[in-house]
């Protein structure tokens, strides 16, 4: 184990990110010279990374990684493109099944799954609440869902693993639901607590994996000496029952305090890679590491595992991506591509807030190791997975001709990688407006939240206004702020009006316009 284990490290506080946020909140954050904005805004804020030095360092580090690059799709084969994020929550589990994507993320109070025929429309998909528990011992702090499909007694079921407590972190244990049929949306019923009956200790982030035809379970738990956030393995008698005692699996990491979120991926030769996240997830250095196991080896023998050099996936300061991890691997709808879903933040601040789920394609090195590449910036166009029906979405920037302004607005590029195309518009003048013209059926607004942001009024096609608070406890860019209702195909307008009002927590009343995602 690298470093000295920390006893009972500060555990991440995964705050609920309720689905209602998808339909309510609009974009905000002032971006401008220090003279025009409160001190918490752009100028001098350490969260305004990355600057030239950080970019140069990151580019230098990237050049030293001799990885095999993923081959781009042949021209004309992509059904379209999308931009991250694909969900506003952290700790994703994302699968493809019978022509749809399904994603579950940490929600805190319940288990919810989003379904969409295209990854491009996951962000605006409606949530399905598949489980809300009445048992007070396990109906709070519900974290880290995991989806696993298995056939039991000739019937196909989905097993939804999760971590929950009574509201006290020390009570966290792992549980699993079973679907009534083969639909990932359920309905589900409670199946079991997943625990080592002879050593029932604090446990989180459990996920099953198969090796040589046998089923095992991996999770992050507490050692006998009280040190938490360590990796453990155990055999499984079935998808809801451990079939033997747990084994501690020592692993390396770039920080000493946390080893969590184990998730498997296997290469074409059958070598198993148990990837995991290291470091406190609130830190910008949260990253993905791995140990590997050859075919025929015993997973319950720690000596059979090989520590892979790491990290495999880590912060990308130049792109404004910090703390990438707690991931899940999935395949494209046609089964030909490997992808990673992961959460990350668009701020380098030490915070558990603002973690959003992103997705990108991965590759393999010449010697058969997973090549996760580097996390791409929010707003970067990504080709849809192979077999995704598309057509994808398009984006409008705040400087595009389709966006017009009345009143006094400032604009600039001081927000760097936190903003789409490195720029945005902002205003505090009551009555100032920004109107976006688009051709489609829906529009989502993404922009910076900030401590100096206020309340806007948003309307569609000149209709009734909806008040949206752009304030955030930390400045962080390209957050989903508001989603329009579904509209008839054709030309529409969305108008953002500055009200000059703010909530009591905000230091100013700025409203900003950055990225508009247009759905055809």
């Amino acid at each position: 184990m690298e470093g000295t284990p920390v006893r009972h490290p500060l555990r991440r506080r995964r705050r609920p990110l309720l689905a209602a946020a998808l339909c309510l909140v609009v974009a905000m954050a002032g971006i401008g010279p220090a003279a025009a904005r409160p001190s918490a805004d752009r100028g001098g804020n350490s969260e305004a990374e990355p600057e030239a030095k950080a970019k140069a360092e990151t580019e230098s580090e990237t050049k030293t990684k001799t990885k095999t690059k993923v081959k781009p799709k042949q021209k004309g084969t992509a059904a379209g493109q999308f931009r991250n994020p694909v969900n506003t929550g952290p700790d994703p589990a994302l699968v493809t099944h019978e022509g749809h994507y399904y994603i579950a993320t940490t929600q805190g109070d319940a288990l919810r799954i989003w379904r969409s025929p295209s990854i491009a429309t996951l962000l605006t998909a409606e949530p399905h609440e598949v489980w809300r528990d009445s048992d007070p011992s396990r109906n709070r702090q519900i974290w880290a869902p995991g989806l696993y499909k298995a056939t039991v007694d000739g019937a196909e079921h989905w097993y939804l693993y999760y971590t929950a407590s009574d509201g006290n972190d020390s009570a966290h244990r792992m549980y699993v639901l079973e679907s009534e049929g083969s639909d990932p949306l359920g309905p589900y019923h409670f199946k079991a607590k997943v625990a080592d009956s002879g050593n029932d200790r604090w446990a989180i982030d459990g996920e099953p994996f198969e090796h040589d035809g046998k089923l095992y379970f991996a999770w992050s738990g507490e050692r006998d000496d009280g040190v938490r956030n360590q990796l453990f393995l155990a055999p499984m008698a079935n998808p809801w029952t451990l079939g033997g005692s747990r084994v501690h699996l020592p692993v390396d990491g770039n920080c000493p305090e946390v080893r969590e979120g184990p998730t498997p991926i296997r290469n074409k030769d059958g070598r198993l890679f148990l990837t995991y996240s290291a470091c406190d997830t609130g830190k910008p250095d949260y990253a993905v590491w791995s140990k590997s196991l050859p075919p025929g080896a015993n997973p319950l023998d720690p000596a059979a595992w090989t520590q892979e050099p790491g990290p495999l996936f880590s912060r990308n300061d130049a792109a404004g991506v910090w703390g990438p991890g707690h991931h899940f691997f999935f395949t494209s709808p046609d089964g030909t591509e490997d992808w990673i879903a992961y959460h990350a933040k668009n701020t380098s601040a030490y915070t558990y807030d603002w973690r959003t789920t992103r997705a990108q394609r991965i590759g393999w090195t010449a010697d058969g190791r997973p090549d996760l590449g580097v996390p791409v910036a929010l707003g970067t166009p990504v080709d849809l997975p192979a077999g995704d029906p598309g057509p994808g979405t398009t984006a409008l920037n705040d400087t595009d001709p389709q966006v017009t302004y009345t009143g006094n607005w400032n604009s600039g590029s001081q927000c760097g990688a936190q903003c789409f195309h490195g720029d945005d518009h902002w205003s505090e003048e009551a009555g100032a407006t920004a109107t976006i013209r688009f051709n489609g059926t829906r529009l989502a607004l993404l922009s910076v939240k900030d401590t100096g942001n206020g309340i806007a009024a948003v309307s569609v096609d000149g209709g009734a206004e909806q008040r949206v608070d752009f304030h955030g406890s930390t400045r962080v860019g390209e957050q989903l702020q508001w989603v329009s209702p579904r509209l008839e195909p054709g030309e529409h307008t969305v108008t953002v009006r500055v009200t000059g009002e703010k909530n009591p927590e905000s230091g100013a009343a700025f409203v900003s316009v950055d990225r508009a995602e247009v759905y055809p």
Side-chain angles (χ1 to χ4, degrees):
M1 189 69 169
E2 179 181 285
T4 303
V6 177
R7 183 175 293 272
H8 300 288
L10 175 66
R11 176 62 194 162
R12 57 184 175 218
R13 295 167 293 145
R14 305 184 188 185
R15 298 185 180 177
L17 295 170
L18 297 180
L22 286 174
C23 297
L24 284 179
V25 213
V26 164
M28 192 23 299
I31 301 176
R37 305 300 308 280
S39 60
D41 296 338
R42 306 300 187 261
N45 189 324
S46 62
E47 294 167 18
E49 296 181 285
E51 298 298 339
K53 182 175 182 294
K55 182 176 180 179
E57 290 173 351
T58 303
E59 289 177 346
S60 176
E61 292 171 359
T62 302
K63 290 176 182 177
T64 64
K65 297 179 181 179
T66 55
K67 292 184 176 181
T68 302
K69 292 185 177 180
V70 177
K71 292 183 179 180
K73 293 179 181 179
Q74 295 297 313
K75 184 176 180 180
T77 62
Q81 295 179 322
F82 72 98
R83 273 152 293 278
N84 286 309
V86 296
N87 187 272
T88 59
D91 309 325
L94 198 163
V95 300
T96 54
H97 176 70
E98 295 184 351
H100 283 82
Y101 297 82
Y102 296 82
I103 186 171
T105 58
T106 286
Q107 297 292 297
D109 62 338
L111 290 165
R112 298 180 179 88
I113 296 177
W114 289 258
R115 178 179 68 178
S116 174
S118 172
I119 198 170
T121 48
L122 265 180
L123 183 63
T124 55
E126 297 298 326
H128 298 261
E129 185 172 290
V130 298
W131 185 253
R132 182 178 289 271
D133 208 320
S134 60
D135 187 329
S137 70
R138 59 173 191 253
N139 65 358
R140 299 180 65 186
Q141 296 180 323
I142 300 173
W143 299 343
L147 283 163
Y148 176 73
K149 183 174 65 174
T151 300
V152 177
D153 295 332
E156 184 179 276
H157 299 277
W158 285 91
Y159 293 89
L160 180 54
Y161 300 87
Y162 63 100
T163 301
S165 78
D166 60 3
N168 298 298
D169 181 49
S170 60
H172 267 116
R173 297 296 189 273
M174 299 175 300
Y175 304 94
V176 62
L177 309 176
E178 182 184 65
S179 67
E180 300 290 347
S182 59
D183 188 344
L185 292 182
Y188 285 91
H189 60 265
F190 182 81
K191 189 65 175 178
K193 176 182 179 180
V194 184
D196 182 343
S197 58
N199 198 345
D200 184 10
R201 290 178 173 270
W202 180 91
I204 62 171
D205 297 358
E207 188 176 331
F209 68 92
E210 298 175 27
H211 188 70
D212 289 340
K214 297 180 180 179
L215 191 61
Y216 299 87
F217 199 64
W219 73 96
S220 179
E222 180 182 65
R223 293 195 323 221
D224 293 345
D225 61 2
V227 176
R228 292 182 183 172
N229 296 101
Q230 307 296 303
L231 294 191
F232 291 88
L233 306 174
M236 298 195 86
N238 52 50
W240 59 92
T241 309
L242 297 188
S245 299
R246 69 180 194 164
V247 172
H248 176 227
L249 181 65
V251 293
D252 290 348
N254 51 312
C255 298
E257 72 268 23
V258 170
R259 309 288 185 264
E260 64 186 14
T263 191
I265 188 169
R266 194 183 309 276
N267 70 11
K268 61 182 179 60
D269 299 320
R271 189 172 189 87
L272 175 71
F273 293 85
L274 186 64
T275 60
Y276 57 92
S277 298
C279 219
D280 185 329
T281 193
K283 293 182 176 179
D285 289 320
Y286 195 61
V288 177
W289 291 65
S290 177
K291 267 198 165 180
S292 64
L293 186 74
N298 179 11
L300 302 179
D301 176 10
W305 292 84
T306 298
Q307 180 68 53
E308 298 294 327
L312 278 66
F313 200 60
S314 57
R315 60 188 289 173
N316 183 355
D317 291 47
V321 180
W322 290 277
H326 201 112
H327 54 294
F328 198 91
F329 296 110
F330 66 100
T331 57
S332 58
D334 70 355
T336 64
E337 298 173 349
D338 293 312
W339 284 68
I340 183 174
Y342 61 97
H343 77 232
K345 298 179 298 186
N346 202 13
T347 173
S348 61
Y350 187 171
T351 176
Y352 301 97
D353 293 330
W354 315 118
R355 295 171 297 156
T356 59
T357 291
R358 301 100 185 274
Q360 61 190 74
R361 188 183 172 192
I362 67 170
W364 295 87
T365 63
D367 57 356
R369 289 178 168 82
D371 178 3
L372 307 189
V374 295
V376 300
L378 287 181
T380 299
V382 179
D383 282 350
L384 293 174
D388 187 302
T393 58
T394 58
L396 295 176
N397 191 32
D398 59 286
T399 59
D400 287 343
Q402 294 94 327
V403 187
T404 56
Y405 302 88
T406 67
N408 293 317
W409 289 80
N410 300 293
S411 63
S413 58
Q414 291 90 335
C415 59
Q418 285 199 333
C419 288
F420 184 59
H421 289 184
D423 56 42
D424 73 348
H425 276 68
W426 70 95
S427 177
E428 195 181 25
E429 180 182 84
T433 65
T435 298
I436 305 167
R437 293 180 291 105
F438 68 99
N439 190 321
T441 62
R442 209 168 196 186
L443 182 138
L445 293 174
L446 299 94
S447 70
V448 182
K449 285 187 172 292
D450 204 349
T451 58
N453 288 342
I455 295 171
V458 184
S459 61
V460 179
D461 294 334
E465 291 184 329
Q466 179 181 7
R467 290 171 65 83
V468 183
D469 192 347
F470 292 8
H471 174 261
S473 58
T474 299
R475 198 190 72 228
V476 57
E478 296 198 63
Q479 296 297 303
L480 179 64
Q481 308 287 12
W482 177 86
V483 177
S484 77
R486 297 186 187 279
L487 307 168
E488 290 296 322
E491 295 286 341
H492 299 281
T493 61
V494 165
T495 298
V496 180
R497 180 176 64 85
V498 181
T499 66
E501 302 171 10
K502 61 184 180 66
N503 74 45
E505 301 297 321
S506 183
F510 287 96
V511 169
S512 102
V513 175
D514 187 21
R515 167 157 64 111
E517 199 73 14
V518 179
Y519 296 78

